[in-house]
């Protein structure tokens, strides 16, 4: 065991544990003769909306599409601005630019690495149409306070829940706080498909109708008729919907295991001066990624690599520094907390099927590193 590589994720372990349920789901779809916009999508949309405590959900092809279509449904187009953070991998930026709006970056809190209400307030201008709040690494942002700022200024709230399936604050799940909640079911997510998929959860009837139309060429009421919007082709297929329906009942159990893994890391390493996201409420955190902060990031990553332990950096480049973004927006003023945290973050393995021995081995290597 000592030198067996430990991957960042191992989806084959999940596939083995869930093999019969996954095969059954796929076989049901194969035999049905319906592969897009069929009964499995309808069923998953109902079950996932209910799970999130929302009235509706609209299945789409990816999390990035979910964000783009939500922005379009909320009229975030040319001439409007959308506030978001710059430390969340660029997905929101991509969606905002594809929608034709301009991203405006708000700084984060050093303890949670999430957008603060003060930073949101500061970023709002008369052109602001919406904010995308990202619940990063599995930790929910302070939706109460952020929602109040948004309401005061009359802007829409879109939650990016791609890393926070099942998290909740005050008994309300991620995705049910904003006007729309966007999810990715990319395979490594807390709820992951066997390919790409995403969805938007909403209580708003108008957004619901518009999203249904936007995901399918802008068609509304009848095929081949696009009376309101030019849409995309962004449908969740029946195979992914059936797979996700089979996996959804296991999400809470997996989230508990993820939280448990990060608790082990935290209890062993926080006393040694390594920093973790500060979690105020246990239920608000579903431990999508275990992100450790240290000034010795690069050396620690090197050390773990020598021990065949995979790590990653989520994310290495602030959105406003991406050359492709600078080409469009020009140079932006750097955000102090974002800049300070970026070179310190390191993601260590955290997935429900990890063994306790693997977690203990990684902790041992990191402890050893700190003591030297
Ligand atoms: C925070 C966040 N938002 C959006 C996305 C985009 O999702 P997708 O890869 O399904 O487009 C991801 C993941 O990839 C993500 O981590």
């Amino acid at each position: 065991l000592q030198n067996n590589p430990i991957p960042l994720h191992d989806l084959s372990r999940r596939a083995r544990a869930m093999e019969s349920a996954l095969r059954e789901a796929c076989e049901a779809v194969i035999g049905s003769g319906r592969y897009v916009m069929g009964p499995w999508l309808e069923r998953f949309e109902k079950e996932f909306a209910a799970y999130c405590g929302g009235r509706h959900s609209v299945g789409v092809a990816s999390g990035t599409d979910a964000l783009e279509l939500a922005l379009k449904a909320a009229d975030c187009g040319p001439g409007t601005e959308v506030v978001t953070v710059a430390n969340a991998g660029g997905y929101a930026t991509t969606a905002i630019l594809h929608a034709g709006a301009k991203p405006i970056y708000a700084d984060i809190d050093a303890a949670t690495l999430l957008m603060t209400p003060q930073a949101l307030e500061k970023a709002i201008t008369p052109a602001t149409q919406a904010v995308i709040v990202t619940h990063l690494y599995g930790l929910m942002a302070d939706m109460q306070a952020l929602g109040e700022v948004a309401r005061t200024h009359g802007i829409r709230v879109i939650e990016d829940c791609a890393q926070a399936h099942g998290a909740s604050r005050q008994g309300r799940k991620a995705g049910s706080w904003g006007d729309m909640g966007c999810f990715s079911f990319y395979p490594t997510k807390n709820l992951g498909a066997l390919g790409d998929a995403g969805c938007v959860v909403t209580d708003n009837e108008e957004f619901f109708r518009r999203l249904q139309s936007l995901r399918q060429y802008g068609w509304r009421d009848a095929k081949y008729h696009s009376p309101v919007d030019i849409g995309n082709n962004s449908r969740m297929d029946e195979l992914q919907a059936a797979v996700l329906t089979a996996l959804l009942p296991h999400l809470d159990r997996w989230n508990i295991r993820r939280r448990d893994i990060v608790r082990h890391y935290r209890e062993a390493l926080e006393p040694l001066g390594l920093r973790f996201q500060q979690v105020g409420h246990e239920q608000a955190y579903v431990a999508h990624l275990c992100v450790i902060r240290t000034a010795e990031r690069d050396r620690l990553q090197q050390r773990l690599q020598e021990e065949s332990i995979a790590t990653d950096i989520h994310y290495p480049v602030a959105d406003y520094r991406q050359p492709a973004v600078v080409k469009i927006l020009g140079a932006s003023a750097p955000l102090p907390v974002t800049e300070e945290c970026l070179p310190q973050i390191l993601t260590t393995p955290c997935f429900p099927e990890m063994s306790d021995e693997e977690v203990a081995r990684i902790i041992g290597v990191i402890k050893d590193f700190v003591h030297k």
Side-chain angles (χ1 to χ4, degrees):
L1 180 77
Q2 204 49 39
N3 285 314
N4 277 354
I6 305 179
L8 199 63
H9 311 277
D10 184 350
L11 297 173
S12 69
R13 296 188 201 181
R14 156 97 37 103
R16 270 197 300 280
M18 299 300 300
E19 187 166 350
S20 61
L22 291 172
R23 283 192 188 283
E24 210 175 289
C26 292
E27 277 162 19
V29 174
I30 292 167
S32 76
R34 287 285 296 271
Y35 308 114
V36 285
M37 301 298 280
W40 284 104
L41 176 63
E42 223 170 278
R43 176 168 167 191
F44 177 69
E45 287 176 334
K46 276 207 182 72
E47 293 185 9
F48 193 69
Y51 176 83
C52 293
R55 205 169 295 152
H56 305 292
S57 90
V58 178
V60 297
S62 72
T64 310
D65 279 6
L67 291 168
E68 181 184 330
L69 301 188
L71 289 162
K72 288 178 174 169
D75 285 322
C76 300
T80 70
E81 295 178 355
V82 178
V83 180
T84 192
V85 291
N87 69 324
Y91 308 101
T93 294
T94 300
I96 294 165
L97 291 171
H98 276 300
K102 181 182 179 192
I104 301 290
Y105 297 105
D107 211 355
I108 53 171
D109 176 59
T112 61
L113 306 174
L114 306 173
M115 184 189 291
T116 65
Q118 296 77 15
L120 170 59
E121 179 96 51
K122 215 172 115 186
I124 290 174
T125 74
T128 309
Q129 180 76 3
V131 55
I132 296 180
V133 179
T134 305
H135 305 307
L136 198 62
Y137 312 144
L139 181 61
M140 268 186 84
D142 184 351
M143 290 309 297
Q144 183 88 48
L146 291 163
E148 272 163 31
V149 174
R151 261 190 306 283
T152 305
H153 293 272
I155 66 169
R156 295 296 187 182
V157 178
I158 296 170
E159 296 177 71
D160 182 346
C161 311
Q163 305 190 357
H165 316 65
S168 67
R169 275 180 89 139
Q170 297 158 248
R172 270 176 76 184
K173 287 237 165 70
S176 73
W177 285 81
D179 294 287
M180 287 172 270
C182 299
F183 290 82
S184 164
F185 304 112
Y186 181 76
T188 59
K189 300 304 188 204
N190 288 32
L191 180 63
L194 297 182
D196 279 306
C199 87
V200 184
V201 173
T202 186
D203 278 351
N204 181 306
E205 300 297 329
E206 191 196 322
F207 291 152
F208 174 53
R209 292 237 314 144
R210 212 158 162 196
L211 287 162
Q212 284 187 313
S213 157
L214 282 163
R215 75 166 161 198
Q216 186 159 239
Y217 321 117
W219 292 351
R220 195 186 267 238
D221 303 323
K223 279 200 292 188
Y224 317 127
H225 293 271
S226 306
V228 181
D229 289 303
I230 298 297
N232 296 33
N233 175 359
S234 181
R235 297 172 292 220
M236 182 195 293
D237 65 65
E238 287 288 280
L239 275 170
Q240 302 311 337
V243 162
L244 290 168
T245 303
L247 298 182
L248 180 59
H250 301 273
L251 173 58
D252 288 340
R253 170 170 68 85
W254 289 329
N255 282 345
I256 289 168
R257 173 63 183 152
R258 284 177 182 276
R259 240 186 242 136
D260 212 44
I261 290 168
V262 175
R263 189 171 49 75
H264 282 300
Y265 276 119
R266 185 192 298 272
E267 284 175 2
L269 302 175
E270 229 169 22
L272 305 181
L274 295 165
R275 293 175 68 185
F276 290 76
Q277 262 181 315
Q278 196 179 301
V279 177
H281 319 263
E282 196 197 357
Q283 298 303 318
Y285 182 57
V286 290
H288 174 59
L289 297 173
C290 179
V291 173
I292 296 176
R293 275 170 64 196
T294 165
E296 306 287 320
R297 193 268 307 275
D298 292 343
R299 281 183 49 236
L300 176 57
Q301 184 172 37
Q302 176 67 35
R303 182 80 196 91
L304 287 163
Q305 195 189 334
E306 286 160 12
E307 297 291 330
S308 308
I309 296 164
T311 60
D312 203 346
I313 294 166
H314 294 93
Y315 296 88
V317 184
D319 291 14
Y320 50 75
R321 288 194 187 277
Q322 290 285 4
V325 174
V326 174
K327 215 159 63 181
I328 298 168
L329 298 181
S332 305
L335 299 171
V337 185
T338 300
E339 294 287 322
E340 177 201 324
C341 296
L342 215 117
Q344 303 177 344
I345 50 176
L346 184 66
T347 306
T348 57
C350 173
F351 53 98
E353 299 78 12
M354 267 181 99
S355 69
D356 289 341
E357 290 71 27
E358 287 175 316
V359 180
R361 191 179 126 209
I362 299 168
I363 289 171
V365 171
I366 299 176
K367 274 186 165 174
D368 206 48
F369 170 84
V370 173
H371 288 136
K372 282 178 188 151

